[in-house]
Amino acid sequence: MSKILVAEDELAINKMICMNLNITGYQTVSMQDGQEVLDYLAAGQSADLAIVDIMMPKVDGFALLEPLNKAGIPVIYLTALGDIESKVRGLSGGAEDYMVKPFEMLELLLRIEKILKRTGKSDELIKLDDVILDMKKRTVSKKNEQISLTPMEYDLLCILAKNRNIALGRDKILHEIWGAGFEGETRTVDVHVAALRRKTGLHIASVPKIGYRLEVGE
């Protein structure tokens, strides 16, 4: 289970981020000022990635970048500072990504997954009840028996698994799997979901007027 450090002084946003990360299978460490982060690092603690606000009490997010980088923790800035100077400062200083509030949680989750994969810190195995998804081998098995999926079915299962217990819209799924230039019907998603249900036995719930949600136990 990948550990994500969430440094955000606005409690409601902090709780919302942690809740969504926990639901999707991440372990979280919540902090509300920069000094807490420095104390955490000084105690020899680590994480696989940090989501950091810039305008925080005691020690701001910019001052945290160097110690986090030295600890080998990649950083995503998540801030209300949308000016180009702040973006350049953050990215040129060594942040992996820079997102401006307000933000979409799904976009943050996708960026987290890409960074963890790029840095070699992502989970290679995802357990979905009695179904095992091996991200490295691109295989799916149930009770030690391999399940044969088409490439599109596999990619769909991946995005549902990475966002398990979260409702995903058909348009979002189409964009992530089939690309922004896809001109077919959104019902394409329905067909592939039906195939996944049949082949895996997973509970992929229909969410009215939105899309689908893969529901698994915690």
Side-chain angles (χ1 to χ4, degrees):
M1 181 183 293
S2 298
K3 182 190 292 186
I4 310 294
L5 188 158
V6 180
E8 164 64 60
D9 66 314
E10 191 168 335
L11 185 58
I13 296 177
N14 193 313
K15 285 185 174 180
M16 182 270 289
I17 293 172
C18 289
M19 179 188 70
N20 280 277
L21 290 175
N22 293 153
I23 286 173
T24 52
Y26 293 108
Q27 179 184 357
T28 56
V29 181
S30 172
M31 300 180 184
Q32 290 183 261
D33 66 63
Q35 187 59 51
E36 284 187 84
V37 177
L38 295 180
D39 293 344
Y40 180 83
L41 296 176
Q45 301 295 313
S46 189
D48 297 300
L49 184 143
I51 300 169
V52 179
D53 188 14
I54 292 175
M55 297 182 290
M56 286 192 297
K58 299 181 181 179
V59 180
D60 69 37
F62 284 134
L64 296 175
L65 187 55
E66 183 177 354
L68 285 168
N69 282 342
K70 283 185 177 179
I73 303 174
V75 172
I76 296 178
Y77 276 130
L78 183 60
T79 175
L81 293 178
D83 60 282
I84 189 64
E85 292 82 4
S86 297
K87 291 180 181 180
V88 170
R89 182 179 177 185
L91 293 171
S92 64
E96 290 283 337
D97 210 337
Y98 193 108
M99 292 183 66
V100 178
K101 301 172 184 174
F103 65 99
E104 291 286 342
M105 193 63 215
L106 176 57
E107 181 182 358
L108 177 59
L109 290 169
L110 291 172
R111 293 191 186 201
I112 289 170
E113 180 61 31
K114 287 181 180 179
I115 292 171
L116 290 175
K117 187 174 182 180
R118 184 168 68 246
T119 56
K121 297 183 178 183
S122 62
D123 294 329
E124 293 182 351
L125 295 178
I126 298 179
K127 189 174 186 298
L128 308 167
D129 294 334
D130 59 353
V131 174
I132 303 295
L133 178 59
D134 190 321
M135 305 294 289
K136 187 174 182 179
K137 296 180 180 178
R138 285 184 64 88
T139 60
V140 180
S141 59
K142 182 174 183 177
K143 298 178 180 178
N144 296 320
E145 292 188 9
Q146 189 162 320
I147 299 171
S148 178
L149 299 179
T150 67
M152 288 300 185
E153 290 168 355
Y154 176 84
D155 290 341
L156 174 58
L157 180 58
C158 283
I159 191 172
L160 290 170
K162 291 173 185 176
N163 299 280
R164 49 198 177 276
N165 298 317
I166 291 179
L168 297 179
R170 288 185 179 85
D171 290 338
K172 289 280 188 182
I173 294 172
L174 284 170
H175 182 273
E176 290 301 321
I177 299 177
W178 283 271
F182 180 76
E183 297 180 353
E185 293 289 332
T186 57
R187 294 298 173 184
T188 300
V189 176
D190 302 345
V191 173
H192 285 77
V193 166
L196 281 181
R197 286 170 172 159
R198 184 179 69 255
K199 292 181 179 182
T200 66
L202 290 169
H203 185 206
I204 305 174
S206 297
V207 183
K209 299 182 180 180
I210 298 178
Y212 295 98
R213 178 178 59 244
L214 173 58
E215 298 181 347
V216 297
E218 294 299 313

